Amino acid sequence: MSRVRGEFYACLTARRDVLFELTDAVLCAVGAVRSVPELTLTPEHRRGHGAMYEGLNAGRIDIGRLRNLLCGISLPRFPDGRLVLAVDVSPWLRSDAACSPDRLFCHVYGRAKSASELIPGWPYSFVAVLEPGSSSWTQILDVVRLGPEDDATALTAAQLRAVVDRLIAGGQWREGDPEIVIVADAGYDVCRLGWMLADLPIEMVGRLRSDRVMRLPKPPYAYDPKGGRPPKHGPEFRFADPGSWPRPEVTTVTSTSGYGKAEAQAWDRVHPRLTHRSSWLDHDGPLPLVEGTLVRLKVEHLPKDRAAPPIWLWSSKTGATGGDVDRIWQVFLRRFDLEHTFRLFKQTLGWTRPKLRTPQAADRWTWLLIAAHTQLRLARPLAADLRHPWERPAAPGQLTPARVRREFRNLRPKLVCPARAPKPSRPGPGRPPGSRNRRRATRYDVGKTVKRRERLPDNHVLAKPERVTRP
């Protein structure tokens, strides 16, 4: 813990003392963080609220060094020694910040059933390491804010490639170790991600929509006296039409504690039929065949005896066995642990509480909370259970992040605190009372700023060339 805190302090290159004390104030505050200026009233923060805002707006963090630090600490692994990563996007909603640039329309579920809204905000892409078993703990390794000019799939692929390279450089993966599994939800183009990251030692697992149509492998070549090019794809595989399903290559049945009997059916070398549209619009040359394993998971019931519709999963691994199929859907169910981390960030650590104008200040605040969450995970085996009278006692190794945070104030005096004491100073005069602000802030539009090149429709007909008469 002391070594990580000292290296985190070294990653702060400007206003390091106030940023470090602000992180400790988040960890030691009583209850959830409701107001960021109130953090300056805690004993751990020895500076005023003006210094706090100055640190968030003008401070600097060596992000590359901090990322290497996060990838170099001890990471949770599954029983076979495998690293399992999850990638997901969580928005910082800023619907009332018209003077904040780089905002996008973020998809947010509404209060009504099957309702969704598009609210302006800053979407952040997180990459975290998952733990085996039922747990709300994750280890955040990287975060990237999506801008108006970014392609979500290309940015996610570059982010995952950088994370895997840092894990290999930090000794977390060596030649001969099991492949790193990366889990994504239905909002990602998992087939394209698997193709873009095919040169890395990873296995891409993601969920597909239940109305997708994919293709089976092409049948063996048979001579056709009529000639013609042999087929490139096999027959269609319609998720909503069981009549188009061939016999599965692998079928497994597993008994679970929370879902009853889980039946998984798998088909090998199932791939989408790609066309020169959307993300493949600028692809040069023939389109590739992105083959993988398609898994249909059906459980008896969800928690509280709710109906359980089947889910479809796709893995970039081909030739999967029964053990591989069970691992695919089991690691996907662990992906929802990242949702508990997002809830902790927003409801307990106050991630979206500050009313910051610039996205750069929001990035600094996000990295401070990631460093705070990392310290909570490292303090997990050291913390005592300070539970409320109405809470059930928990085992020493099963404390939630919120319970570990209650004990952090008692652990802090035993840890290294490299922040220096504040120097006495007086606040500036500020703007004279009664004067108007003559510098109006710039207002920014919301949404994408890059227009996608249009594609010619399939039924378009070229204009006939004009007839040229020779003299």
Side-chain angles (χ1 to χ4, degrees):
M1 279 286 296
S2 296
R3 181 184 64 84
V4 170
R5 286 170 62 87
E7 294 184 4
F8 167 61
Y9 181 78
C11 296
L12 308 175
T13 57
R15 274 80 173 182
R16 56 171 55 180
D17 296 324
V18 64
L19 293 178
F20 188 87
E21 290 187 355
L22 181 60
T23 306
D24 279 356
V26 172
L27 292 170
C28 299
V30 179
V33 177
R34 303 299 181 187
S35 173
V36 178
E38 290 183 359
L39 293 176
T40 60
L41 304 178
T42 59
E44 292 75 17
H45 196 284
R46 298 174 292 178
R47 291 161 173 84
H49 66 279
M52 182 267 298
Y53 280 115
E54 185 70 16
L56 290 178
N57 293 325
R60 289 194 301 271
I61 304 177
D62 190 349
I63 303 299
R65 185 173 181 176
L66 183 54
R67 284 169 172 164
N68 294 332
L69 172 62
L70 297 176
C71 292
I73 61 178
S74 177
L75 300 178
R77 296 176 181 269
F78 275 59
D80 58 350
R82 188 186 305 269
L83 285 172
V84 178
L85 309 182
V87 57
D88 202 357
V89 174
S90 183
W92 183 339
L93 302 181
R94 297 301 310 274
S95 58
D96 55 345
C99 299
S100 297
D102 297 344
R103 292 185 303 160
L104 295 175
F105 287 106
C106 304
H107 182 271
V108 180
Y109 286 99
R111 296 183 178 181
K113 184 178 180 181
S114 301
S116 60
E117 300 175 297
L118 292 176
I119 300 178
W122 292 316
Y124 282 85
S125 175
F126 290 84
V127 177
V129 183
L130 304 180
E131 288 190 3
S134 178
S135 173
S136 60
W137 286 93
T138 62
Q139 174 57 57
I140 304 294
L141 297 182
D142 190 30
V143 62
V144 174
R145 176 173 47 84
L146 278 69
E149 300 180 0
D150 295 330
D151 181 5
T153 305
L155 185 140
T156 304
Q159 182 185 16
L160 293 175
R161 181 178 295 275
V163 169
V164 174
D165 291 342
R166 285 194 295 270
L167 291 175
I168 296 175
Q172 301 287 355
W173 186 91
R174 295 181 176 87
E175 193 69 28
D177 293 347
E179 292 182 339
I180 302 174
V181 179
I182 301 178
V183 189
D185 207 359
Y188 289 90
D189 190 351
V190 62
C191 299
R192 187 184 177 204
L193 286 175
W195 176 77
M196 298 177 70
L197 304 175
D199 58 324
L200 297 178
I202 67 166
E203 176 186 353
M204 199 72 204
V205 177
R207 184 172 63 167
L208 302 178
R209 292 168 54 97
S210 58
D211 57 352
R212 287 285 300 268
V213 178
M214 302 189 77
R215 291 290 184 138
L216 295 169
K218 64 180 180 180
Y221 175 74
Y223 174 73
D224 188 359
K226 297 182 180 179
R229 187 182 62 179
K232 185 178 180 181
H233 306 277
E236 290 185 345
F237 190 107
R238 298 180 176 272
F239 293 1
D241 183 15
S244 62
W245 306 348
R247 183 177 180 180
E249 280 97 2
V250 179
T251 302
T252 62
V253 179
T254 309
S255 297
T256 62
S257 58
Y259 304 98
K261 184 178 67 174
E263 180 182 1
Q265 299 174 324
W267 293 268
D268 192 21
R269 297 178 58 195
V270 180
H271 58 275
R273 183 176 181 179
L274 305 179
T275 57
H276 285 284
R277 294 188 179 92
S278 64
S279 58
W280 300 95
L281 183 62
D282 299 328
H283 183 79
D284 297 331
L287 294 174
L289 279 178
V290 188
E291 296 182 334
T293 301
L294 181 65
V295 179
R296 180 182 183 268
L297 176 63
K298 176 65 177 179
V299 298
E300 285 186 343
H301 59 81
L302 294 176
K304 299 182 180 180
D305 295 334
R306 292 180 296 171
I311 62 175
W312 295 87
L313 305 175
W314 187 88
S315 170
S316 60
K317 181 181 179 62
T318 57
T321 61
D324 297 333
V325 172
D326 287 338
R327 187 189 68 247
I328 289 172
W329 66 264
Q330 288 172 4
V331 298
F332 176 78
L333 295 182
R334 296 269 58 85
R335 190 209 68 85
F336 296 97
D337 297 342
L338 190 55
E339 303 294 340
H340 296 286
T341 303
F342 292 156
R343 184 181 304 175
L344 175 75
F345 272 43
K346 294 183 178 180
Q347 298 184 2
T348 304
L349 302 183
W351 176 39
T352 57
R353 288 292 178 177
K355 303 300 181 182
L356 303 175
R357 173 173 293 183
T358 62
Q360 292 76 18
D363 296 344
R364 296 186 191 97
W365 174 247
T366 303
W367 279 108
L368 293 182
L369 293 190
I370 292 176
H373 182 260
T374 302
Q375 296 182 51
L376 288 179
R377 195 182 71 85
L378 296 178
R380 179 181 177 185
L382 307 175
D385 187 11
L386 300 181
R387 64 184 182 90
H388 295 299
W390 57 85
E391 294 178 339
R392 296 181 180 179
Q398 297 181 355
L399 296 179
T400 61
R403 290 198 184 187
V404 174
R405 181 170 171 264
R406 298 175 192 169
E407 176 68 8
F408 197 87
R409 173 168 284 180
N410 299 331
L411 298 176
R412 184 177 178 272
K414 306 175 184 179
L415 302 174
V416 171
C417 295
R420 297 167 296 183
K423 298 179 181 179
S425 61
R426 292 184 178 181
R431 195 172 63 196
S435 62
R436 293 185 178 182
N437 184 10
R438 300 182 182 277
R439 297 182 180 180
R440 291 296 186 93
T442 306
R443 305 177 73 90
Y444 299 91
D445 296 332
V446 185
K448 291 287 186 180
T449 59
V450 178
K451 185 177 181 181
R452 180 181 297 174
R453 182 170 60 87
E454 298 180 356
R455 178 185 180 275
L456 294 176
D458 295 334
N459 57 354
H460 114 283
V461 180
L462 293 175
K464 294 183 179 180
E466 298 181 357
R467 178 178 295 181
V468 179
T469 57
R470 296 182 180 180

